[in-house]
């Protein structure tokens, strides 16, 4: 059982000023699914002082390696891509209709400012929406939907739009940026799951700064294309062929309005990392995470994930004949919006839990149920 807050030691910060500056830059840099490469370069540049080697696969998954010659391989992983939109149709009068790239929420789109990514550079646009005065008092209002949300980039013809470099297939991201709220929460778009990429990079930093020598090869993996079906993790798992994988992603803070705890569970920001129970989660590895949290006074929460976790955990677990895998989740408010929120202490505690768990994995660690 997770310890009550009163029983725990005073929180010790892990994220420092330099790493926070990187986190802000990393979040503010767009990284839409299929177009993650600029963010991956930023991430690897930050990671390189703490690793021995690195590589990027054909689709952009970035990997930092510690002890690359070791036979036994442990992965810590997050995904780099953010939800976005594609230009799908340009009208004769210069308006743009879109389709999803990942799980983009049509209900938050109206009145949002966006960047359309073109070979000529960024083109600014807005999701337009009819004024309240024009929507007909007493009539049933039409809700935002994929069929009626549209972009306006200030053009009056299709030719004018195309002259800016905009064409069908251009990717679109929101322009909202990182901020700290009440000195307690990190807020921004794409904390799902570049917060994870940040946290695993911080684990590498701690290992280097604390001069910890691991008895295995550690692969710090920032996968692409999770938001459209765990595709980057699927590819990189077959390339690395790990013996163990610890995945980190976000999960829902269910303490805010309009969320049913009976179906979604009871989880909240500020109460610690979340360990998951699901068929893909290997029980003995999960026990190691929980025992590590308890031994190091790291608060944690529990989540039941039913048939699948819906994260890259599933891709690693079911690869290469079965890889012992577990999931450490970061509680997050307002997922797939531009104001995703995570608690500063949870970020520190996820980093600490992964770090200390790695120190508890032995050379050639056997996680089989029947030995």
């Amino acid at each position: 059982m997770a310890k009550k807050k009163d029983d725990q030691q005073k929180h010790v910060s892990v994220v420092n000023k330099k790493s926070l500056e990187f986190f802000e830059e990393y979040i503010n840099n767009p990284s839409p699914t299929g177009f993650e490469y600029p963010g991956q370069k930023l991430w690897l540049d930050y990671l390189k002082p703490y690793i021995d080697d690195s590589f990027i696969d054909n689709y952009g998954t970035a990997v930092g390696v510690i002890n690359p010659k070791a036979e036994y391989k442990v992965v810590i992983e997050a995904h780099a891509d953010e939800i976005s939109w594609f230009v799908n149709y340009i009208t004769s009068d210069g308006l743009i209709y879109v389709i999803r790239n990942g799980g983009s929420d049509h209900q938050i789109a109206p009145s949002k400012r966006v960047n359309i990514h073109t070979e000529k550079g960024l083109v600014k646009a807005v999701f337009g929406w009819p004024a309240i005065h024009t929507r007909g008092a007493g009539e049933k209002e039409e809700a935002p939907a994929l069929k009626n949300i549209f972009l306006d980039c200030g053009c009056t013809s299709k030719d004018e739009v195309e002259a800016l470099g905009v064409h069908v297939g251009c990717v679109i991201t929101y322009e909202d940026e990182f901020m700290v709220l009440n000195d307690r929460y990190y807020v921004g778009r794409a904390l799902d799951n570049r917060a994870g990429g940040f946290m695993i990079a911080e684990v590498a930093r701690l290992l280097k700064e604390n001069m910890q020598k691991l008895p295995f090869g550690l692969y710090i993996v920032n996968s692409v294309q999770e938001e459209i079906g765990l595709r980057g993790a699927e590819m990189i798992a077959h390339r690395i062929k790990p013996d163990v994988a610890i995945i980190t992603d976000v999960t829902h803070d269910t303490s805010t309005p309009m969320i049913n705890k009976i179906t979604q569970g009871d989880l909240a920001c500020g109460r610690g990392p979340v360990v998951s129970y699901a068929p893909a989660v290997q029980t003995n590895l999960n026990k190691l995470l929980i025992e590590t949290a308890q031994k190091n006074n790291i608060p944690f929460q529990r989540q039941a994930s039913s048939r699948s976790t819906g994260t890259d955990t599933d891709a690693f677990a079911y690869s290469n004949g079965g890889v012992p895998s577990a999931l450490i989740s970061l509680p997050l408010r307002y997922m797939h919006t531009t104001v995703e929120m995570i608690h500063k202490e949870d970020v520190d505690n996820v980093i600490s839990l992964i770090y200390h768990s790695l120190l508890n994995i032995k050379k050639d660690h056997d996680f089989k149920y029947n030995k």
Side-chain angles (χ1 to χ4, degrees):
M1 181 176 179
K3 293 186 178 183
K4 295 180 181 178
K5 196 171 182 67
D6 293 343
D7 298 331
Q8 293 161 8
Q9 297 177 351
K10 184 178 179 181
H11 179 77
V12 177
S13 295
V14 175
V15 175
N16 60 30
K17 183 179 178 182
K18 180 182 176 182
S19 53
L20 183 58
E21 289 173 354
F22 161 70
F23 191 25
E24 180 172 358
E25 181 184 15
Y26 186 48
I27 292 299
N28 289 347
N29 180 82
S31 191
T33 301
F35 302 84
E36 300 94 344
Y37 40 88
Q40 297 292 66
K41 183 180 185 304
L42 274 177
W43 184 80
L44 270 181
D45 285 346
Y46 179 75
L47 187 66
K48 278 183 177 177
Y50 314 125
I51 58 176
D52 300 320
D53 197 6
S54 65
F55 64 90
I56 301 176
D57 77 0
N58 289 334
Y59 276 83
T61 291
V63 182
V65 189
I66 297 172
N67 300 337
K69 294 182 179 179
E71 291 186 12
Y72 193 83
K73 301 175 183 178
V74 177
V75 159
I76 57 174
E77 190 264 6
H79 74 83
D81 57 317
E82 67 176 290
I83 57 170
S84 53
W85 302 96
F86 280 123
V87 172
N88 188 48
Y89 171 61
I90 305 171
T91 70
S92 59
D93 52 358
L95 298 177
I96 299 168
Y97 285 83
V98 299
I99 56 172
R100 293 184 178 91
N101 185 18
S104 302
D105 188 347
H106 52 274
Q107 293 203 44
I108 71 161
S111 83
K112 297 299 294 183
R113 303 180 186 198
V114 301
N115 293 316
I116 306 174
H117 299 258
T118 79
E119 291 183 4
K120 295 181 178 182
L122 296 180
V123 173
K124 297 290 184 179
V126 297
F127 273 108
W129 194 246
I132 189 171
H133 319 68
T134 68
R135 298 205 298 265
E139 297 179 9
K140 184 178 180 180
E141 292 201 36
E142 190 172 1
L146 200 58
K147 66 181 180 181
N148 63 18
I149 58 173
F150 62 91
L151 289 177
D152 189 333
C153 60
C155 295
T156 57
S157 70
K158 181 177 181 179
D159 288 344
E160 193 178 354
V161 172
E162 291 179 338
L164 294 175
V166 177
H167 56 73
V168 170
C170 283
V171 72
I172 304 150
T173 56
Y174 294 113
E175 68 171 24
D176 300 69
E177 295 192 335
F178 180 90
M179 70 175 181
V180 179
L181 190 63
N182 195 28
D183 197 30
R184 182 175 296 152
Y185 290 97
Y186 302 127
V187 178
R189 38 163 263 286
L191 295 179
D192 173 14
N193 179 38
R194 267 178 288 161
F198 169 68
M199 292 186 295
I200 59 175
E202 288 297 274
V203 172
R205 177 177 67 83
L206 291 185
L207 290 168
K208 184 74 170 183
E209 291 179 354
N210 295 334
M211 295 183 288
Q212 293 288 348
K213 302 296 183 182
L214 298 175
F216 48 77
L218 180 65
Y219 291 72
I220 303 120
V221 178
N222 210 8
S223 295
V224 299
Q225 299 193 27
E226 187 272 351
E227 295 290 357
I228 49 94
L230 323 181
R231 298 306 187 188
E234 182 181 346
M235 290 184 277
I236 202 66
H238 289 292
R239 176 165 176 174
I240 295 173
K241 294 180 170 54
D243 297 282
V244 181
I246 298 173
I247 313 304
T248 186
D249 206 330
V250 296
T251 192
H252 302 286
D253 177 327
T254 63
S255 66
T256 57
M258 301 169 64
I259 300 178
N260 187 341
K261 291 183 181 179
I262 294 173
T263 58
Q264 300 296 320
D266 185 8
L267 303 167
C269 291
R271 296 205 315 230
V274 178
V275 294
S276 286
Y277 294 82
V281 174
Q282 212 273 353
T283 300
N284 288 334
L285 178 56
N286 217 31
K287 286 180 179 177
L288 182 145
L289 301 182
I290 291 168
E291 290 169 0
T292 299
Q294 292 169 333
K295 181 179 178 181
N296 291 278
N297 296 305
I298 300 170
F300 68 94
Q301 307 173 72
R302 303 177 195 258
Q303 179 177 31
S305 298
S306 190
R307 292 169 61 99
S308 67
T309 69
T311 72
D312 285 339
T313 311
D314 305 329
F316 275 92
Y318 301 130
S319 71
N320 301 290
V323 175
S325 302
L327 173 62
I328 301 173
S329 297
L330 177 69
L332 175 143
R333 292 183 171 187
Y334 319 125
M335 192 181 296
H336 286 200
T337 73
T338 58
V339 291
E340 294 179 336
M341 293 174 57
I342 53 177
H343 200 289
K344 293 169 67 173
E345 291 189 5
D346 290 339
V347 171
D348 289 334
N349 284 323
V350 169
I351 296 166
S352 294
L353 181 53
I354 298 173
Y355 171 80
H356 287 289
S357 295
L358 291 176
L359 300 184
N360 286 331
I361 296 176
K362 304 176 182 66
K363 181 182 179 182
D364 300 325
H365 202 126
D366 186 355
F367 288 95
K368 292 187 181 72
Y369 297 127
N370 298 309
K371 302 179 183 178

